[in-house]
Structure formats: C-alpha cells, structure tokens
Amino acid sequence: MKPLKIRQGLLSILLAVALMVAGCNGSPTESATSDNVNPVGDSTVSPVAQTQNSSMSNLPQLEGKATVVMTVNGSPITIEVDGTAAPVTAGNFVDLVNQGVYDGVAFHRVVREPQPFVVQGGDPQSKDPNVPMARLGTGGFIDPGTSKERYIPLEIQPAGEEKPLYSKTFEEARIKAQPKLKHSRGAVAMARSRLPDSASSQFYFALADLPFLDGSYAVFGYVTDGMDVIDNIQQGDRIESAKVVEGLDNLKK
C-alpha cells in the first residue's frame, strides 16, 4: 500500500505545482519551465501589497451572502457567495458580476487529467475573439474609476477564528488550522500569481476535493446547483450571462 500512497501524494503535489506555475493553457508537464503562477496569472504583475488596514477599505465588500446564477452552454450554474468568511473576495466577485464583467468571458483553462482538477475563467481579455488563447490567463479587471487593474488581497479565514488572515498563506503564517471555506468539490476560488495579493477577476471551480490547496488560495463560495454543467465545460466555452439574483443589497462599496 505504501507505493500507492506515495504515488497519490506525488500526484497531489504535481497538481498543486501546476496550479501555481501553469499559464492559461498550462499543464502539469509544462509547469516545470513556466514562470506564471496559480490557476493563472502574469508573473510580471507586481501589485501593491494590500493589508487589512490600508487600501482594502477601498474595495467592495459583501456583508453576508449572495446568490449568483451563471449561464453556460444554455444551462444555469448557481453559486452561493459567502461574504461572512471572505468579505473582500466575495465582494469583489459580486461587484464584477453586477458590472457585467463576466458576461461573454471564456473558460481558458480546463484540467481533468490526470484527475479532475479545475475549470478556470474570468480573464476579461477573452471577450475579444482576436486575442489568442495562449495569451489568456494574464489579464484582470481594469477599474474604470482608476484606469488600473484592481487587485484584492489573499483572504482566508481559519476555522474557529473570527476574522480572515490577509496577504499570507497559512504556511507563511504558520497556521495549522483548516480554513473555514475548504476546497471541496464545487468550491469557487480566486486565481492569482505567485504574489499573494495579485487576484483580480480570474476564478476557478474545483472539480474534486482539493485539500492540498487549502490555506493557499481563497475560496469564496460554492456551487449549489449545476455541477453537471461545470463537468461538461470545455476550454473556450463562454459565460453567456452572470447575474446576482439575491443578496445584492449586502454588497457595500
């Protein structure tokens, strides 16, 4: 049994590395030579670090929960967005949905082999059909108010704690607890580069339980209906529409 356990452990490590270093079309075999990180991100991005006491106050926050319905391939996906444990991350997502940022955006990264992993989208560049697929995964939301890309801090709440940890992974903060929002199948989380505070608009759906990502990436909600739709998403499929159907009054700007 030991060799099996070792192989399973190595597979989890390879998937985690793929998540951290693969580009938009990255695969575990490409990850060893790629400089890009997480589900995806541009390694050249250097956002200003955000903390709980500084520019985070300028970001939208969700006080409570909200429900988002995405339509993909003509079928709905219902997401419960949890601002109780991830107010900034959830607020950013609900705000982008409400602005129509995700309407027409493609899923540029789908990883199901060697085992179910993630379906990732949210790069606004993908709205332009002339942008090559190889470039997708490097873009984020440009705030029209500042004409700059909006970044949000890494935000993960340890189980049993009243507030989230910001701008550090659990490993960096030496936290042994589990996160309140885990990477179970159907989790929705933010993609980022190697920099903790570099998430913008890209997100991913977990296709399976991914405990090796817990404490490193920010989960902000869960799919409550429509996982069968996600299971059938292919690279290049688009979000036809995304709407906040409940809880928009919990969004504070």
Side-chain angles (χ1 to χ4, degrees):
M1 294 297 293
K2 284 186 177 180
L4 178 59
K5 290 182 178 180
I6 291 172
R7 287 197 296 270
Q8 290 174 335
L10 288 174
L11 182 57
S12 294
I13 291 172
L14 286 172
L15 283 173
V17 170
L19 191 67
M20 291 182 63
V21 300
C24 61
N25 290 316
S27 66
T29 57
E30 294 172 324
S31 63
T33 58
S34 173
D35 289 329
N36 288 344
V37 218
N38 172 32
V40 77
D42 184 348
S43 61
T44 64
V45 169
S46 300
V48 177
Q50 299 181 14
T51 67
Q52 190 176 9
N53 298 318
S54 60
S55 56
M56 203 175 74
S57 60
N58 297 323
L59 297 171
Q61 299 192 30
L62 187 69
E63 297 178 355
K65 295 185 178 182
T67 303
V68 168
V69 174
M70 285 186 175
T71 301
V72 179
N73 293 326
S75 299
I77 300 167
T78 304
I79 303 167
E80 182 183 76
V81 185
D82 191 346
T84 64
V88 175
T89 312
N92 176 69
F93 182 76
V94 170
D95 180 55
L96 296 181
V97 169
N98 193 49
Q99 292 191 52
V101 171
Y102 294 122
D103 295 350
V105 163
F107 291 99
H108 60 270
R109 186 166 183 243
V110 177
V111 182
R112 293 194 173 93
E113 298 295 340
Q115 66 184 38
F117 189 38
V118 299
V119 169
Q120 183 177 324
D123 185 341
Q125 296 180 109
S126 64
K127 290 188 177 184
D128 184 349
N130 295 318
V131 175
M133 187 65 69
R135 190 172 127 195
L136 299 182
T138 61
F141 169 65
I142 304 299
D143 190 329
T146 63
S147 298
K148 297 180 180 179
E149 190 164 341
R150 178 202 285 174
Y151 298 104
I152 60 172
L154 180 62
E155 176 185 52
I156 310 174
Q157 183 169 335
E161 298 293 331
E162 294 184 359
K163 295 181 179 180
L165 171 72
Y166 289 96
S167 302
K168 290 184 179 180
T169 65
F170 279 16
E171 182 178 6
E172 291 169 336
R174 298 183 180 180
I175 291 177
K176 302 299 183 182
Q178 295 294 312
K180 184 175 180 180
L181 303 180
K182 298 180 180 180
H183 278 83
S184 57
R185 172 172 159 82
V188 191
M190 291 303 292
R192 62 173 175 84
S193 76
R194 68 169 65 89
L195 301 171
D197 297 345
S198 58
S200 180
S201 60
Q202 293 184 49
F203 68 93
Y204 58 93
F205 296 114
L207 295 177
D209 293 349
L210 305 172
F212 51 91
L213 300 181
D214 286 340
S216 294
Y217 299 99
V219 174
F220 60 86
Y222 295 92
V223 174
T224 58
D225 190 39
M227 274 305 296
D228 58 325
V229 180
I230 295 171
D231 286 336
N232 288 303
I233 289 175
Q234 302 298 318
Q235 186 182 53
D237 287 350
R238 295 183 179 274
I239 300 171
E240 293 157 24
S241 67
K243 306 293 183 185
V244 184
V245 299
E246 188 175 344
L248 185 58
D249 53 340
N250 290 331
L251 181 65
K252 310 300 179 184
K253 291 190 176 183

